Amino acid sequence: MSWYIDDRPDLWKSHGFKPLTPGDKQKVIDYLAKSLPQDKPPYQDPNDKVQRGPDANLPRAAQTGARANYVAMEFDLGATSYETNVDSEGNLLVSEDKGGRFGRIDRTTLNYTNETIPAGAKPRVLAQIAEDANKDIWILDNGPTPDALLIRYTPGTKQFKEFPIPAPPNLRSPLNTLRFVGNYIWGTGNSSTRVIRMDMTTGEITAYPAPRGSHPYGIAVGGPIDGEPSVWTVGNYDNAVNRVDTKSGKLITYRLPEHSVDLRRM
């Protein structure tokens, strides 16, 4: 077993963290070596009915039929990619962590082309990326941490527009997942413990607080409830699915029967 400490101070500094000192790194290594020796079996949650282990995510039998007919490709973009998504034409959208660039991989030619966002008040740290119904591209910029920016790019005019996402006191404001409902863009605030809805024309933000410690992550849009599209989220550390009640301004929580369920996407 080997241990690796991520030593990228440029990345962690952009997220508001201080790099580890040599003494801090040694403390981490000593703790891990003592607490997780090589001969110690993986932790098994007594409430977990699924057997865990280093190969638990792998299929137990060889794949057959259509499941076996795939081609795996690797793309070297010459940059640090952060997040991906798929646009309405099946092309892959990509945000680059540094340099304020984002782009797409053409589904037919597999060529990668990118655009550069004009410089901001602070260096760009791009994250989530998604396309709305008008084919505008929305990119999250965590550069102004603890606050954030949503940037809208209109391909037809090549124009950019920024929408500020202020952070709550003593918290950060990144959004983990973006979804579109009518003229609104929704996002989950994993670090700010909330779900937000922003008017894509005015930039007006409505925040829906989540239970403390739940860390909203994935978000999805479902069928109408009370005449409005339903918006659902998952609590990353909360073993729960939440529905946003836009009329009361609260989240309605549905607890899952299983313990230690690490929910992320929907």
Side-chain angles (χ1 to χ4, degrees):
M1 179 182 294
S2 61
W3 300 103
Y4 173 71
I5 296 177
D6 191 344
D7 192 13
R8 293 180 292 169
D10 58 327
L11 174 61
W12 293 115
K13 184 177 180 181
S14 70
H15 287 283
F17 297 101
K18 296 181 180 180
L20 294 175
T21 66
D24 293 334
K25 294 177 182 178
Q26 190 59 49
K27 289 180 181 178
V28 173
I29 293 172
D30 292 342
Y31 172 79
L32 293 175
K34 180 180 178 180
S35 303
L36 299 173
Q38 296 184 22
D39 58 348
K40 187 174 182 178
Y43 171 74
Q44 179 71 32
D45 189 328
N47 297 309
D48 195 345
K49 297 180 181 179
V50 180
Q51 189 66 30
R52 301 296 178 184
D55 300 324
N57 62 313
L58 299 178
R60 296 294 180 264
Q63 300 298 296
T64 60
R67 294 174 64 90
N69 297 326
Y70 68 91
V71 177
M73 300 182 183
E74 181 174 318
F75 296 86
D76 184 358
L77 307 181
T80 303
S81 58
Y82 186 96
E83 191 64 79
T84 62
N85 212 326
V86 179
D87 68 13
S88 57
E89 298 178 359
N91 305 305
L92 187 69
L93 301 173
V94 181
S95 65
E96 298 182 16
D97 186 39
K98 295 290 183 292
R101 291 183 296 271
F102 68 97
R104 71 182 78 209
I105 297 177
D106 187 280
R107 63 188 289 267
T108 303
T109 66
L110 302 182
N111 290 332
Y112 179 63
T113 56
N114 61 18
E115 300 279 352
T116 300
I117 300 174
K122 294 185 178 180
R124 303 289 189 189
V125 182
L126 303 186
Q128 311 305 323
I129 184 169
E131 181 189 72
D132 67 18
N134 296 320
K135 296 191 176 183
D136 289 343
I137 307 298
W138 293 79
I139 311 106
L140 183 71
D141 179 12
N142 288 323
T145 188
D147 300 325
L149 291 170
L150 272 172
I151 302 174
R152 183 181 67 201
Y153 171 67
T154 303
T157 61
K158 293 188 177 295
Q159 291 184 333
F160 295 90
K161 184 174 181 178
E162 296 182 352
F163 297 85
I165 311 293
N170 303 316
L171 295 173
R172 295 171 53 243
S173 199
L175 303 175
N176 292 85
T177 312
L178 303 178
R179 292 289 184 268
F180 304 96
V181 182
N183 196 47
Y184 295 108
I185 181 171
W186 289 79
T188 48
N190 184 285
S191 301
S192 57
T193 315
R194 61 180 178 168
V195 178
I196 73 161
R197 183 187 71 179
M198 190 189 79
D199 187 300
M200 294 192 290
T201 301
T202 66
E204 180 181 359
I205 293 174
T206 303
Y208 302 89
R212 185 174 181 179
S214 64
H215 295 265
Y217 206 100
I219 187 170
V221 180
I225 296 179
D226 295 333
E228 295 185 3
S230 55
V231 178
W232 301 80
T233 72
V234 291
N236 193 187
Y237 306 137
D238 203 29
N239 295 337
V241 175
N242 304 297
R243 179 171 67 85
V244 181
D245 188 336
T246 55
K247 294 183 179 179
S248 68
K250 299 180 180 180
L251 298 187
I252 300 175
T253 299
Y254 302 86
R255 297 286 175 191
L256 300 181
E258 297 291 338
H259 294 275
S260 302
V261 179
D262 185 10
L263 300 174
R264 289 179 179 264
R265 301 294 186 184
M266 296 187 80

